[in-house]
Amino acid sequence: MSLDPSTFETIVPARYITFTFPNHLRVAVLDSPSAPASSSSTAAMWVPPDRESDWVFSTFSGQLQLLHSATAAQPLSRLILVGKVPSCPHPTSYDSSLHPSSPTPLNLAHLLSALTPKSAFLDDGEIPEMPFFIYEDELIRGSVLEICDGPCVGTMLIENVELENNGVREFRRRLRFKRMPNFVQTQMRIRPKNEFKFEILDNAVEFELDIDALVQPYLNPMVAGISVISQFLEGRMKAGFRPKALCLGVGGGALLRFLSAQLSFEVTGVEEDEVVLKIAKQYFGLDSDEYIHLFAGDGIYYVKRLAKSLSEESRFHVIMVDLDSNDLSMGVCAPPVEFLEKSVLVAVRDVLCEEGVVVINTIVSSELLHEGLIHEFYEVFEELYEIDVGNGENIVVIATKSIVGNDLEANGSAFLCKLKSVVLGSCIDCIRRVPN
């Protein structure tokens, strides 16, 4: 079935069309969901060689996120992705050393002209100059360990990757979900067990996990958020009690292990998908022990049930919320919009002790949505603080059940000193009060 060239003359918000050519070229055309039909700003992107199967480039959700990321740099109404036809349905391995320089795309002038909105052409009919992006990230090479399916999160993959950032190379193990392929759900630093040649990365190489560091960008700020109740926590620990944390969303479990090992918390983790818990145990070294308790189930339901039966002495001092949304159409990637319902927030407040704090990883697509989220929290909680992670995506929101006073000024607190020694001190310094 042939495409009518006139199909692409106008912008149709949220339209998505893909097609292939006999020369094994694959094209995807995405019109921005928020673009008016009269807009015309268009850009093209070349898919990196050998990464055509990566969900970032081969799924609608991944390509839509690429459009959103490109739009952050300049407003776009249409993004055209061009690359080779994927050789296999799933990501397998990648090695950038096989492609030492950015590829020169084929002569695509006529194709791109045909895919350009009619309103973009100049008055004299001249073809407008179209930006052509080359995708770049920190990934040098990667090898997929397993692809599996969970009943709640769908298809997921576990991979070992080698990254380079500011000239420094390191290895990480990562967990990604197909439904949100551009976001790394969990990553931990790994070290080769034996002598290793950087030119090779395959599943025959054995690694050990580094559990002492948090490498996920927003996890250090989330842990830093505990500092707003540092004086209270120090008092509890001096009295011989372990503080208690509830983690809604487990992933690979890096946060749970860190809270237990580095800050002496007793941690309860709730993960909706039992297969994710299996992956956390098999590939990320997480397991139940005396101070880490794991449950498979819906985190929101779990909190609501606890709120009806939890005694005062069993309440949590800290609740960490790292839940993403199944529906991105509302512009909120994290937390799920269901979590922001007042009945849920009240239940969260009720399972906190009086001096407790809830720390939430948030990803929203606009300042207006962020303001709405803040409003919902202020309907239930006494004080709000936040940390801008600085990656253009995550903002950590910290909500307290009661007025916490000047805990952030308690520089002599032993717990605060410990906290500053295990997380990036700049995260604590970046905490700011959100006015009501």
Side-chain angles (χ1 to χ4, degrees):
M1 180 178 177
S2 60
L3 279 172
D4 183 351
S6 65
T7 300
F8 302 99
E9 290 183 353
T10 59
I11 298 292
V12 179
R15 182 173 60 182
Y16 174 60
I17 299 175
T18 65
F19 54 93
T20 59
F21 288 100
N23 62 351
H24 303 293
L25 201 65
R26 184 178 186 273
V27 179
V29 180
L30 299 91
D31 288 347
S32 171
S34 59
S38 59
S39 60
S40 60
S41 179
T42 304
M45 178 180 291
W46 183 254
V47 177
D50 290 345
R51 293 183 67 180
E52 295 89 0
S53 295
D54 192 314
W55 295 331
V56 173
F57 308 102
S58 63
T59 66
F60 170 68
S61 56
Q63 294 168 352
L64 183 61
Q65 186 59 40
L66 290 174
L67 171 63
H68 289 325
S69 299
T71 300
Q74 65 179 84
L76 285 180
S77 52
R78 174 173 292 172
L79 179 65
I80 304 168
L81 286 99
V82 185
K84 295 180 181 179
V85 175
S87 57
C88 60
H90 294 295
T92 53
S93 61
Y94 170 72
D95 190 338
S96 66
S97 67
L98 301 177
H99 310 281
S101 59
S102 297
T104 301
L106 304 171
N107 186 354
L108 302 173
H110 291 296
L111 172 63
L112 297 182
S113 174
L115 299 177
T116 300
K118 189 175 182 180
S119 58
F121 285 81
L122 305 178
D123 292 338
D124 58 5
E126 184 178 348
I127 300 174
E129 184 177 349
M130 182 184 298
F132 207 110
F133 301 144
I134 301 296
Y135 182 87
E136 295 181 343
D137 59 11
E138 300 173 347
L139 182 62
I140 297 176
R141 53 180 60 86
S143 178
V144 173
L145 301 177
E146 183 178 345
I147 297 176
C148 58
D149 293 290
C152 299
V153 305
T155 306
M156 66 192 95
L157 68 80
I158 306 93
E159 60 188 349
N160 287 340
V161 299
E162 181 186 350
L163 307 177
E164 182 173 10
N165 187 14
N166 296 324
V168 178
R169 290 189 180 188
E170 68 178 30
F171 299 101
R172 294 182 184 178
R173 181 161 296 165
R174 307 196 304 189
L175 171 66
R176 288 196 289 144
F177 297 162
K178 187 175 183 178
R179 71 184 188 190
M180 300 179 71
N182 309 72
F183 296 101
V184 178
Q185 298 296 325
T186 291
Q187 56 182 328
M188 291 183 68
R189 189 176 294 143
I190 55 177
R191 296 185 291 258
K193 287 185 176 180
N194 303 307
E195 185 178 350
F196 177 79
K197 293 183 178 180
F198 273 86
E199 292 77 13
I200 302 172
L201 180 61
D202 58 32
N203 294 347
V205 180
E206 291 189 61
F207 290 92
E208 59 184 7
L209 296 164
D210 178 1
I211 64 172
D212 296 328
L214 295 172
V215 296
Q216 193 79 336
Y218 61 84
L219 288 186
N220 268 289
M222 286 189 74
V223 176
I226 300 173
S227 63
V228 302
I229 59 167
S230 58
Q231 285 183 316
F232 165 69
L233 291 177
E234 179 165 4
R236 292 286 299 173
M237 298 176 86
K238 282 183 175 180
F241 296 98
R242 272 184 176 258
K244 298 174 60 178
L246 172 63
C247 293
L248 302 181
V250 173
L255 177 60
L256 281 73
R257 290 182 63 166
F258 190 87
L259 290 173
S260 176
Q262 300 294 329
L263 295 173
S264 300
F265 273 80
E266 180 178 353
V267 186
T268 298
V270 184
E271 171 59 53
E272 67 169 345
D273 199 311
E274 59 187 0
V275 177
V276 173
L277 285 180
K278 174 178 173 290
I279 292 300
K281 295 174 182 179
Q282 181 177 353
Y283 290 103
F284 295 91
L286 181 67
D287 215 341
S288 299
D289 61 25
E290 183 182 1
Y291 298 117
I292 296 180
H293 317 289
L294 301 175
F295 298 94
D298 181 272
I300 292 176
Y301 174 78
Y302 185 88
V303 166
K304 283 188 170 183
R305 182 167 57 83
L306 277 185
K308 296 177 181 179
S309 59
L310 209 59
S311 63
E312 177 64 34
E313 59 271 15
S314 299
R315 291 179 181 174
F316 293 94
H317 308 103
V318 175
I319 298 178
M320 296 283 192
V321 182
D322 188 11
L323 301 172
D324 57 40
S325 175
N326 292 324
D327 180 9
L328 306 184
S329 62
M330 301 296 291
V332 180
C333 296
V337 291
E338 298 86 353
F339 184 84
L340 300 176
E341 294 176 5
K342 188 168 185 178
S343 63
V344 177
L345 295 180
V346 168
V348 170
R349 182 193 64 193
D350 289 347
V351 300
L352 279 174
C353 67
E354 195 60 34
E355 299 83 358
V357 63
V358 55
V359 183
I360 312 100
N361 173 43
T362 74
I363 308 174
V364 297
S365 60
S366 71
E367 181 63 30
L368 184 62
L369 286 171
H370 180 70
E371 291 174 359
L373 181 147
I374 293 299
H375 172 76
E376 297 298 331
F377 276 103
Y378 256 130
E379 288 285 303
V380 175
F381 292 94
E382 189 69 34
E383 291 183 346
L384 292 185
Y385 300 81
E386 66 180 22
I387 306 173
D388 188 335
V389 176
N391 59 358
E393 295 176 347
N394 305 77
I395 294 179
V396 171
V397 175
I398 306 151
T400 66
K401 187 172 181 177
S402 58
I403 297 175
V404 299
N406 297 317
D407 274 26
L408 287 174
E409 299 175 6
N411 294 321
S413 161
F415 179 82
L416 187 58
C417 290
K418 172 63 174 178
L419 192 60
K420 288 182 176 180
S421 73
V422 297
V423 301
L424 298 175
S426 58
C427 295
I428 296 176
D429 296 336
C430 290
I431 296 175
R432 73 173 192 90
R433 172 79 184 274
V434 182
N436 191 342

